[in-house]
């Protein structure tokens, strides 16, 4: 119970990062393809980052509250998001999503299209091109997006307290625990949580940086155009290596 | 290449697991309390969501533990926040059962919309407005009027929109020195900020609630404002009208007015009404 905020924070951050990762990549890929309305869609998708988190939380509460549209539908299925861990995950996801989406979009747009054409020339399927050509090439950008997303989700406060409340043992993450400790005048407890959250954040960033540095090396090594398909098995059958 | 594949495998594994977790959470979250304790489930556990002002965190946590010992069939979920945010949550239909506000204003707003059960509303606690000085202060202040003197260079008070700031203004207006005070006041975002300015010695003195002053040993209470100098500081409680657990909620409110609870509140500096 005493250390539940650590578990809850990590659970929320991991879940939110995973959802943001999948959605962010998928949506970024679609947006890059858009011709018209690109800036409008982009603006809407980035909105949660620009708005104060409390406002995002308020909108989420409007949506998921019993009076809200989604909340009404969920209530019919006897599911409630407000004051639950699911609410905390949703809040953290919405707030951290733009970071993943933006990074992925930037990486996709900067990717050398010639490599995609090269892939098509040798008859690779679009799916294969995405996973074997685009993704490895965009790795550094995507990883930095992942780091930002995780960091944002771990520290989320404003939207979370609005949607998920601040219930010890149930929705009280570390950020909320710090707020509670300060609000009730418990300095020592606040300092303790601050120290723990810093330690966890530093450790995560450190590990991710090591990982990023390693992949950057491998991307560089594979940068010479032909070498992207150095894995023979990835080539369609019957293609000879020139 | 092998490294890469292992990395990819790891990432996808983490993804799948966490997504599964997330899905489970969403499915289970509204019945979380009950399946944690299968035994309690058979005894029909009631879950009460108690929305309370953040300043009551410690006392309510303590009282919650006490209550749990005698009421095994009730699971209390305290959610702490600013009274205004809690009001919004209730207005938007959050599944709340009890609301304890740090001001009458928020409770009045909910009462107006019939969102609280009117007959359950009660002023639970009161608080005193006190003048605090840093522990090592050499100014020798003993009353609110002393603050107007020139030896006091900076006063920490709550801003106009902060409840404690409104009470502060009323007190100084009562003594007819508000204009002088205003000129040297630094306005805090909330009562905690006011308190930390005094704690650090950045302000010569400040005006906070008694309960806040008691949480730190870095300040001394120089004076308490007399009751007729300001509107009473009240903490009203009520059962939320939409609550499905009206009886259990009422029972908990009764407990908050018991002699046992009174002792805990008074220890923290509240006045029990």
């Amino acid at each position: 119970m005493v250390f539940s905020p650590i578990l809850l924070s990590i659970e929320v951050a991991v879940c939110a990062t995973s959802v943001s990762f999948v959605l962010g990549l998928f949506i970024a890929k679609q947006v890059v393809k858009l011709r018209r309305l690109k800036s409008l869609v982009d603006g809407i998708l980035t909105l949660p980052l620009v708005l104060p988190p409390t406002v995002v939380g308020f909108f989420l509460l409007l949506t998921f509250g019993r009076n809200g549209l989604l909340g009404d539908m969920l209530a019919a299925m006897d599911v409630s998001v407000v004051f639950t861990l699911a609410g905390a995950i949703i809040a953290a996801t919405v707030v951290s999503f733009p970071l993943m989406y933006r990074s992925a979009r930037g990486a996709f747009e900067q990717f050398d299209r010639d490599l995609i054409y090269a892939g098509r020339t040798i008859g690779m399927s679009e799916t294969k091109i995405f996973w074997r050509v685009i993704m490895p090439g965009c790795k550094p950008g995507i990883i930095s997006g992942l780091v930002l997303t995780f960091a944002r989700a771990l520290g989320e406060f404003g939207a979370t307290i609005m949607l998920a409340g601040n219930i010890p043992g149930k929705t009280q993450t570390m950020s909320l625990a710090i707020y509670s400790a300060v609000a009730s005048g418990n300095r020592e407890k606040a300092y303790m949580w601050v120290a723990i959250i810093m330690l966890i954040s530093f450790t995560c960033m450190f590990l991710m940086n090591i990982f990023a540095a390693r992949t950057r090396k491998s991307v560089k090594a594979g940068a010479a155009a032909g070498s992207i398909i150095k894995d023979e098995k990835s080539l369609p059958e019957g293609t000879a290596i020139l | 290449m092998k490294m890469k594949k292992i990395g990819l495998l790891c990432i996808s594994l983490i993804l799948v697991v966490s997504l599964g977790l997330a899905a489970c959470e969403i499915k289970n979250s509204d019945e979380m309390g009950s399946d944690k304790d299968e035994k309690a489930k058979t005894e029909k556990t009631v879950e009460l969501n108690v929305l309370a002002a953040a300043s009551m965190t410690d006392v309510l946590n303590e009282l919650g533990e006490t209550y749990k010992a005698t009421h095994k069939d009730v699971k209390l979920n305290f959610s702490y926040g600013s009274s205004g945010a809690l009001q919004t949550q209730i207005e938007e239909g959050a599944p709340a059962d009890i609301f304890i506000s740090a001001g009458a204003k928020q409770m009045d707003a909910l009462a107006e919309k019939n969102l609280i059960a009117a007959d359950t509303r009660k002023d639970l606690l009161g608080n005193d407005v006190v003048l605090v000085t840093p522990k090592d202060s050499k100014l020798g202040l003993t009353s609110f009027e002393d603050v107007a003197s020139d030896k006091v260079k900076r006063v920490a008070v709550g801003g106009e929109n902060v409840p404690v700031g409104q009470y502060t203004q009323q007190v100084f207006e009562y003594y007819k020195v508000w204009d002088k005070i205003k000129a040297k006041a630094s306005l805090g975002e909330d009562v905690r900020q006011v308190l930390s300015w005094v704690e650090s010695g950045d302000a010569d003195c400040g005006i906070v609630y008694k309960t806040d002053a008691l949480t730190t040993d870095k300040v001394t209470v120089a004076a308490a404002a007399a009751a007729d100098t300001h509107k009473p500081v009240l903490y009203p409680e009520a059962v939320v009208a939409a609550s499905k657990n009206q009886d259990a909620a009422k029972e908990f409110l009764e407990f908050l007015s018991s002699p046992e609870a009174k002792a805990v509140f008074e220890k923290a500096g509240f006045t029990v009404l």
Side-chain angles (χ1 to χ4, degrees):
Chain A
M1 185 72 180
V2 185
F3 287 100
S4 66
I6 301 180
L7 282 177
L8 287 172
S9 277
I10 292 175
E11 207 170 337
V12 167
V14 168
C15 289
T17 311
S18 314
V19 178
S20 290
F21 179 72
V22 176
L23 278 182
L25 282 184
F26 178 74
I27 293 177
K29 197 168 166 259
Q30 306 304 316
V31 171
V32 170
K33 278 192 232 154
L34 278 183
R35 296 242 167 76
R36 275 187 228 162
L37 296 175
K38 199 173 190 170
S39 46
L40 181 73
V41 174
D42 193 62
I44 293 171
L45 290 172
T46 316
L47 211 55
L49 186 68
V50 190
L51 288 174
T54 325
V55 178
V56 176
F58 180 64
F59 280 134
L60 287 173
L61 187 62
L62 285 185
T63 318
F64 287 102
R66 231 175 285 166
N67 309 333
L69 196 68
L70 267 174
D72 206 35
M73 275 159 52
L74 288 173
M77 296 187 284
D78 212 28
V79 176
S80 171
V81 167
V82 183
F83 294 153
T84 64
L85 189 58
I89 294 171
I90 291 174
T93 306
V94 171
V95 172
S96 65
F97 164 82
L99 290 164
M100 189 65 232
Y101 155 74
R102 279 257 143 192
S103 312
R105 203 197 125 178
F108 288 156
E109 276 177 345
Q110 281 185 351
F111 188 71
D112 186 357
R113 296 203 66 83
D114 285 344
L115 293 177
I116 301 177
Y117 300 141
R120 285 185 189 151
T121 319
I122 57 167
M124 287 171 90
S125 71
E126 289 298 315
T127 329
K128 206 164 204 174
I129 290 177
F130 181 73
W131 289 108
R132 286 297 172 87
V133 180
I134 302 180
M135 282 298 273
C138 295
K139 226 178 197 175
I142 289 169
I143 287 176
S144 84
L146 210 55
V147 174
L148 288 173
T149 309
F150 183 79
R152 183 70 189 82
L154 192 66
E156 213 322 284
F157 171 79
T160 310
I161 197 169
M162 264 299 201
L163 188 66
N166 178 15
I167 307 174
K170 198 173 171 191
T171 64
Q172 189 178 71
T173 58
M174 280 187 282
S175 319
L176 297 175
I178 293 170
Y179 165 79
S180 278
V182 174
S184 64
N186 206 331
R187 284 289 177 93
E188 288 73 28
K189 215 171 167 187
Y191 289 143
M192 181 193 82
W193 286 121
V194 169
I196 293 176
I197 203 169
M198 278 171 69
L199 193 73
I200 293 180
S201 306
F202 268 128
T203 315
C204 291
M205 297 303 118
F206 186 69
L207 291 177
M208 279 177 168
N209 279 333
I210 290 179
F211 184 61
R214 209 177 262 176
T215 52
R216 211 170 291 138
K217 251 188 233 157
S218 72
V219 168
K220 250 184 205 158
S227 64
I228 289 177
I229 1 177
K230 60 184 171 187
D231 183 358
E232 271 178 66
K233 272 174 277 174
S234 76
L235 289 173
E237 267 177 59
T239 319
I241 295 185
L242 301 173
Chain B
M1 221 53 213
K2 222 176 188 177
M3 269 289 293
K4 237 180 191 174
K5 265 191 184 151
I6 293 171
L8 210 76
L9 207 77
C10 281
I11 290 177
S12 36
L13 203 76
I14 291 171
L15 256 171
V16 169
V17 170
S18 49
L19 273 178
L21 251 171
C24 284
E25 284 306 336
I26 288 171
K27 220 175 144 198
N28 287 343
S29 50
D30 58 334
E31 43 192 77
M32 232 174 80
S34 42
D35 50 60
K36 246 186 205 163
D37 194 348
E38 279 300 321
K39 211 176 153 197
K41 205 175 182 179
T42 51
E43 286 167 18
K44 223 184 163 196
T45 321
V46 176
E47 269 198 54
L48 287 181
N49 286 335
V50 182
L51 307 197
S55 52
M56 305 180 72
T57 307
D58 283 348
V59 269
L60 283 183
N61 277 346
E62 188 180 339
L63 288 171
E65 288 299 314
T66 318
Y67 195 70
K68 211 166 70 183
T70 51
H71 294 75
K72 296 227 161 33
D73 53 338
V74 177
K75 185 170 186 292
L76 294 167
N77 295 325
F78 292 106
S79 185
Y80 304 104
S82 75
S83 302
L86 301 175
Q87 177 200 334
T88 312
Q89 287 176 334
I90 294 173
E91 281 171 350
E92 293 312 320
D97 297 295
I98 292 172
F99 179 40
I100 307 175
S101 166
K105 198 176 115 194
Q106 292 82 12
M107 196 59 99
D108 289 341
L110 289 178
E112 220 167 85
K113 294 180 181 166
N114 292 320
L115 290 171
I116 52 162
D119 57 327
T120 59
R121 179 174 174 171
K122 191 191 158 207
D123 289 328
L124 176 67
L125 303 170
N127 211 339
D128 286 331
V129 176
V130 296
L131 174 70
V132 290
T133 54
K135 186 122 226 166
D136 52 2
S137 169
K138 291 180 182 74
L139 296 174
L141 306 178
T142 53
S143 77
F144 279 83
E145 285 156 297
D146 287 351
V147 181
S149 75
D150 288 334
K151 60 184 176 183
V152 176
K153 297 281 183 283
R154 191 176 292 152
V155 191
V157 301
E160 254 174 74
N161 300 316
V162 186
V164 74
Q166 290 155 11
Y167 295 121
T168 305
Q169 187 174 347
Q170 286 162 14
V171 173
F172 284 122
E173 272 169 357
Y174 178 87
Y175 292 115
K176 303 199 168 55
V177 291
W178 176 237
D179 289 334
K180 271 190 190 163
I181 306 291
K182 216 160 100 184
K184 54 186 174 185
S186 36
L187 305 179
E189 279 299 315
D190 57 33
V191 65
R192 286 289 154 187
Q193 195 170 14
V194 175
L195 186 65
S196 29
W197 282 339
V198 181
E199 275 183 306
S200 65
D202 290 319
D204 298 322
C205 62
I207 290 88
V208 296
Y209 298 123
K210 188 180 165 194
T211 50
D212 295 298
L214 290 184
T215 59
T216 168
D217 49 15
K218 292 191 190 112
V219 303
T220 332
V221 175
D228 55 349
T229 57
H230 61 90
K231 284 187 190 156
V233 186
L234 295 174
Y235 290 69
E237 57 172 15
V239 175
V240 177
S243 162
K244 286 172 188 149
N245 308 306
Q246 296 279 339
D247 291 334
K250 275 179 203 159
E251 205 179 314
F252 181 66
L253 289 192
E254 266 164 37
F255 166 73
L256 290 184
S257 298
S258 68
E260 203 181 351
K262 193 177 165 184
V264 176
F265 284 131
E266 276 173 351
K267 198 178 70 197
F270 288 106
T271 328
V272 179
L273 300 172

